[in-house]
Amino acid sequence: MWRVLNSENILVTVLSKARSVLKKYPLCDHCLGRLFARLGVGLGNDTRGFSIKTMLQLVIHHEKSTSTDQNEIRELAVNAGEPFITMYRIISGETVCRKPCYICNNKLSREYFQSIAEKAYRILKDWSIERFLVGVTLPREIRLRELEVLQITGFEWAESIKNEVKREVGKIIRDKYGLIPDFDNPEAVVIIDFDKDNLDIQPSPIYIEGVYWKKARMISQTDWINNNVSKCPLSLESFLNENLREVFGSEKIFIHASGREDVDVRMIGSGRPVVIEAYRPSKRRFDLNDINNRLNTDIVEFKLTSIVKRSRVVYLKTTSGSRRKTYKALIYSSKELSNNDMVKLEEFYKTNNVVKQWTPTRVLYRRRDTLRIRKVFEVKTKLLSSNVFEAIIKCDGGLYVKELIHGDNGRTQPSFSEIIGAVLIPLELDVISVE
Ligand SMILES: [Zn+2]
């Protein structure tokens, strides 16, 4: 609760709190001023702190005319420093030294902020950062000492030491070096380790959305490594890393796609929605056309269109199961087929579109055996020879299409195999659209 005080009362309250706290704890101008940071605007805490000490000196000097107690003045000289050191010297002839600040150990100063800001700026520049944020890690003891002092003055007007360091350093980086503080979407956060004076940078990843096409088979989406052996010669992820790491000066490029096709399935037609992530990039200015040119080959192609926020990755992942997919399959049949078989297959899914699938045998070694229910919306067929036909299958995302065709020994029901009454083998499978 904010207490409503008139101006005179505020002054009395501030000075009496400052007097109590300085009798107990040595505090530098910054750490005293910070206890009253919400009073006044456009002031550094050092100005605020020194002003309060000065006002307090006026009050105590006035009181001195009615009291001979010099002990309190000596205490204040030791704990608050100036202007009490001078006052005490004039009164007593003795010069005392100020004790180090109980909270910051005299670390806080304009020079400290200046030197940290300069170091931070150099790092931000190396990483090509224009929009930044400052973070601070603080040893627990400092935080506890700060809380201990606040027990005397209360939290009503205070700000934290973390806040002061972030604000002061951020202001210098903005005003002296021209970079832009950005609280919502910074290109990097520069983290100050208050204890060790180390600086670390956490550059925000760059996310770019688009679509990809896989024009050849035997390409996995991410690196597929089993017992240190790559199971697939090419992955989209390694393709991206080879072509884009230097563009972004990035440690790694990640791929986040809306679902995935099997290694031996092509992705053609309208392409699959994807977001690529440049992790810890040191270069942030780039040309999308140049990137798309690098990613356009005979076997793999990406078309990246816009820079997006991380939330798009979450959106792509969470909606992939609900996106309808269209596949083209080339299927071999053990028995000779007639046009009647084709009609039967197409007609079947007009009235029965629910498919129940237990986890396919081929992935059982790495996935739990669960029942999955998906829909087939449409099947169109074309008989190519007596034993081979093509099917265009529109279905829910997440439906196992190979199993829909061959039935997986009854683990997928109904299946093309069951409907036609033949052993069916999917020869080739392509994704032709992802909605
Ligand atoms: Zn201090």
Side-chain angles (χ1 to χ4, degrees), residues 158-171:
E159 79 170 328
S160 67
I161 185 167
K162 248 186 190 183
N163 222 41
E164 179 176 4
V165 176
K166 284 195 280 190
R167 182 166 37 75
E168 293 298 337
V169 172
K171 248 168 33 184

Side-chain angles (χ1 to χ4, degrees), residues 343-360:
V343 172
K344 203 168 152 190
L345 195 56
E346 289 188 9
E347 289 299 314
F348 182 86
Y349 288 100
K350 288 182 181 164
T351 47
N352 311 276
N353 63 2
V354 175
V355 179
K356 293 180 181 169
Q357 301 193 295
W358 286 96
T359 302

Side-chain angles (χ1 to χ4, degrees), residues 217-283:
R217 301 182 196 285
M218 299 319 290
I219 302 170
S220 60
Q221 201 176 73
T222 49
D223 291 338
W224 184 15
I225 293 163
N226 204 348
N227 294 331
N228 283 333
V229 179
S230 181
K231 301 280 279 183
C232 205
L234 179 62
S235 75
L236 297 178
E237 196 172 62
S238 59
F239 172 77
L240 287 171
N241 275 279
E242 277 161 29
N243 289 287
L244 294 187
R245 273 233 317 259
E246 64 158 14
V247 174
F248 295 107
S250 190
E251 280 180 20
K252 184 146 174 68
I253 310 285
F254 292 105
I255 178 168
H256 306 285
S258 173
R260 66 172 69 199
E261 57 286 325
D262 285 338
V263 165
D264 56 349
V265 173
R266 293 189 300 174
M267 177 69 237
I268 53 180
S270 54
R272 185 182 290 274
V274 68
V275 170
I276 68 148
E277 172 185 353
Y279 176 70
R280 287 182 71 83
S282 60
K283 300 177 194 165

